[in-house]
Amino acid sequence: MKAIKSIPELREELRTARTNRTSVEFVPTMGAFHEGHLALMRAARKRGGLLVVSIFVNPIQFGPSEDFDTYPRDLDADLAKAADEGAEVVFAPTAAEMYPDGQISTRVEVGRLGEILEGAYRPGHFAGVATICAKLFNLVGPDRVYLGQKDAQQVAVLSQMVRDLNLPVELVVCPTVREPDGLAMSSRNRRLDPAGREAAAAIYSALRAAVREANAGETSAFKLVTVARRLLDRQPTVRLQYLEVVHPQTFQPVDQVSAQTLIVLAAHVGSVRLIDNCIVGTAQRPEREE
Ligand code: PAF
């Protein structure tokens, strides 16, 4: 496995490495790998192409009061895990490599979708995500990019970008990987204290309660939100930021659930901000709840 920090070195490596390979499979990450990241790498690996992983904590997707400085970083452990998963190239640039002027003038904006829910609570976040992904997709030239369903709005934003800019890339969305108590895996989980970690399980319990109601035939978004909110209200350590039933592509609120409708939430547990979502849409009933 090659660990690469510079853009010229990446271009050179990929120019030779992609020869005789059927495809380039790309997993973009911010590192601090957990099982969710490894599942993306395994899905990518199955395609049999050249597996490229990036590790970059992207400063422009963090707001001034967000956790950029404290975001977990563990490059040596990440490189070992990526090698175990069969990554052939890991691109782990510095911020100066990606943003040599210290900032960037050209940004990718996706309009309204980037400004609601996560975008409303994290202004500029999705422009930061779309911009770094546009740069990375240009550098790596992947056939497929692997993303987690946990970041559902990010998936919608990047799908919009790929469609609007005719990028020759397929996005592959992999299911959320969860801890045994249901908490969605996230690099931020390691910053929860023991009490917060226990309380955080209520997030998935609440979403599952809504999914169960939907599976039992409830189609009113208001009722599903009420069921989930009631459970979360019992857990004062979990401070809800938003909890909504939305269309899976536009993220606009819906009154009635239909195929693939999502229930999405963000909450603070202590100083850690967590997001999660489940599909409540009828297409999934009755066997699966995730
Ligand atoms: O999901 C993430 O880890 C990041 O938002 C991404 C897609 C790597 C862009 O920085």
Side-chain angles (χ1 to χ4, degrees), residues 9 20 30 50 87 90 116 148 154 159 188 195 231 236 258 280-281:
E9 209 190 322
N20 299 327
M30 299 208 298
L50 175 74
V90 174
I116 55 179
Q154 169 170 281
S159 305
R188 291 185 169 101
L231 281 171
S258 56
V280 286

Side-chain angles (χ1 to χ4, degrees), residues 28-30 37 54 56 58 61 71 125 128-129 132-133 136 147 151 154 158:
T29 79
M30 299 208 298
H37 296 111
S54 67
F56 180 59
N58 174 35
Q61 69 185 72
Y71 195 85
H125 169 67
V129 169
I132 191 63
C133 284
L136 289 168
L147 299 167
D151 297 308
Q154 169 170 281
L158 294 176

Side-chain angles (χ1 to χ4, degrees), residues 202-244:
I203 291 174
Y204 186 56
S205 307
L207 293 178
R208 267 184 64 103
V211 171
R212 271 197 303 274
E213 285 293 306
N215 286 348
E218 183 56 72
T219 59
S220 153
F222 176 77
K223 290 200 176 137
L224 298 182
V225 166
T226 306
V227 164
R229 194 178 279 274
R230 202 176 293 141
L231 281 171
L232 285 167
D233 283 349
R234 286 192 213 146
Q235 193 54 264
T237 336
V238 180
R239 286 170 294 116
L240 202 54
Q241 219 168 31
Y242 63 78
L243 172 60
E244 291 200 32

